[in-house]
Amino acid sequence: MDKHHHSAKHIKQISNRLAKTIGHLEAIKKMVENDKDCSEILIQLAAVKSAVNNTATAILKEHLSHCLIHALEDNNHKSLEDLNKAIDMFVK
């Protein structure tokens, strides 16, 4: 079974999304340290939560359209089991 490799473009897109989210979290941390308004902090945390969910969606779509198809073509049903476990953990 060959390991599926993601395109450089996909890796860059996900990496950029994560870098932006990390930057946003750092900014929120500074807001907390500077005793900013709780409502504003919660709004910014909601934006980070959305960014994380959008990143997860992009990863899931890539996984379904490429990785999982390759795994099933190779009769590797463990990948489907692993995906189900990962989804269960993510949605908790």
Side-chain angles (χ1 to χ4, degrees):
M1 173 179 74
D2 292 338
K3 183 179 180 208
H4 176 73
H5 296 282
H6 299 281
S7 71
K9 180 181 176 185
H10 173 74
I11 291 170
K12 183 70 172 163
Q13 288 173 338
I14 296 300
S15 181
N16 286 345
R17 284 176 179 256
L18 291 171
K20 287 178 186 176
T21 303
I22 290 166
H24 201 157
L25 274 173
E26 288 293 338
I28 295 168
K29 181 180 176 208
K30 286 185 175 119
M31 289 175 71
V32 170
E33 291 167 348
N34 293 326
D35 199 25
K36 296 293 182 184
D37 181 67
C38 293
S39 296
E40 287 301 314
I41 292 169
L42 288 171
I43 289 168
Q44 294 306 311
L45 285 170
V48 167
K49 185 177 172 183
S50 178
V52 169
N53 285 337
N54 288 339
T55 302
T57 298
I59 291 170
L60 180 59
K61 284 181 178 181
E62 170 76 5
H63 189 67
L64 290 173
S65 65
H66 294 98
C67 307
L68 199 56
I69 289 173
H70 293 308
L72 292 177
E73 286 172 349
D74 293 339
N75 205 25
N76 176 7
H77 296 282
K78 184 178 181 318
S79 289
L80 184 57
E81 293 169 15
D82 292 346
L83 174 61
N84 283 325
K85 287 178 191 174
I87 290 171
D88 288 344
M89 291 176 69
F90 184 76
V91 297
K92 279 187 180 183

